[in-house]
């Protein structure tokens, strides 16, 4: 009888740490931090712009608006060469206008794109001086 009790205690002693580790992992997954959280806290815009969200968001940043003005939207039927050319151009516009490119490795319904632009500038602020040597004319 003592041998069975010892076996049971060994099994229980292994299961308790496993259960605690699982509980902490679940709690960490439930909390979201960063820009790719529900509700789009950083006001990200997809790169390249898609024809699905051709209508502007209410609180769209100036960087996202400028990207949509300069880069034509793509759809699921767009040729891969055109898609990657549009992606390159939209990334350049994002960086040129003071944004940062965010990679999305975990796609979901709210964030289906692989690349997003995050604006760091205040609304209405220009990213480069008028006589900057890095600006193309």
């Amino acid at each position: 009888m003592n041998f069975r009790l010892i076996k049971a205690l060994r099994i229980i002693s292994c299961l308790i740490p496993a259960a605690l580790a699982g509980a902490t992992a679940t709690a960490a997954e439930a909390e979201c931090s960063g820009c790719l959280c529900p509700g789009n806290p950083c006001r990200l815009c997809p790169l390249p712009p898609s024809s699905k969200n051709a209508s502007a968001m209410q609180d769209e940043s100036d960087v996202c608006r400028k990207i949509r003005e300069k880069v034509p939207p793509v759809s699921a039927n767009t040729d891969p060469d055109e898609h990657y050319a549009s992606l390159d151009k939209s990334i350049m516009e994002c960086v040129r206008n003071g944004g940062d490119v965010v990679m999305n490795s975990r796609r979901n319904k709210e964030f289906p794109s692989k690349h997003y632009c995050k604006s760091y500038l205040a609304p209405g602020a220009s990213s480069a001086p008028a006589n900057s040597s890095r600006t193309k004319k």
Side-chain angles (χ1 to χ4, degrees):
M1 184 87 169
N2 286 338
F3 186 66
R4 287 185 186 172
L5 182 61
I6 292 171
K7 277 180 115 177
L9 287 174
R10 282 186 182 171
I11 291 173
I12 291 172
S13 67
C14 291
L15 292 177
I16 289 174
L20 290 174
T24 57
T26 305
E29 267 184 9
E31 296 174 8
C32 183
S33 62
C35 288
L36 295 169
C37 290
N40 196 4
C42 296
R43 297 172 36 201
L44 301 175
C45 55
L47 300 177
S50 65
S51 55
K52 287 183 207 173
N53 46 348
S55 60
M57 299 182 304
Q58 295 175 14
D59 59 346
E60 183 179 42
S61 68
D62 288 341
V63 174
C64 294
R65 183 182 45 77
K66 289 177 184 177
I67 292 170
R68 279 191 317 101
E69 288 173 356
K70 294 192 177 187
V71 181
V74 296
S75 67
N77 301 329
T78 304
D79 181 48
D81 291 337
E82 291 177 30
H83 174 80
Y84 288 115
S86 181
L87 175 63
D88 288 344
K89 189 173 181 182
S90 61
I91 288 174
M92 286 189 298
E93 286 299 320
C94 174
V95 174
R96 182 177 292 143
N97 289 295
D100 189 23
V101 177
V102 176
M103 294 283 292
N104 178 18
S105 60
R106 297 180 187 168
R107 298 182 197 176
N108 57 31
K109 285 184 180 180
E110 190 169 8
F111 297 102
S113 295
K114 189 173 182 179
H115 301 87
Y116 286 89
C117 183
K118 176 183 176 186
S119 174
Y120 284 110
L121 297 177
S126 176
S127 65
N131 59 358
S132 173
S133 60
R134 292 174 45 172
T135 351
K136 288 185 179 180
K137 294 183 181 183

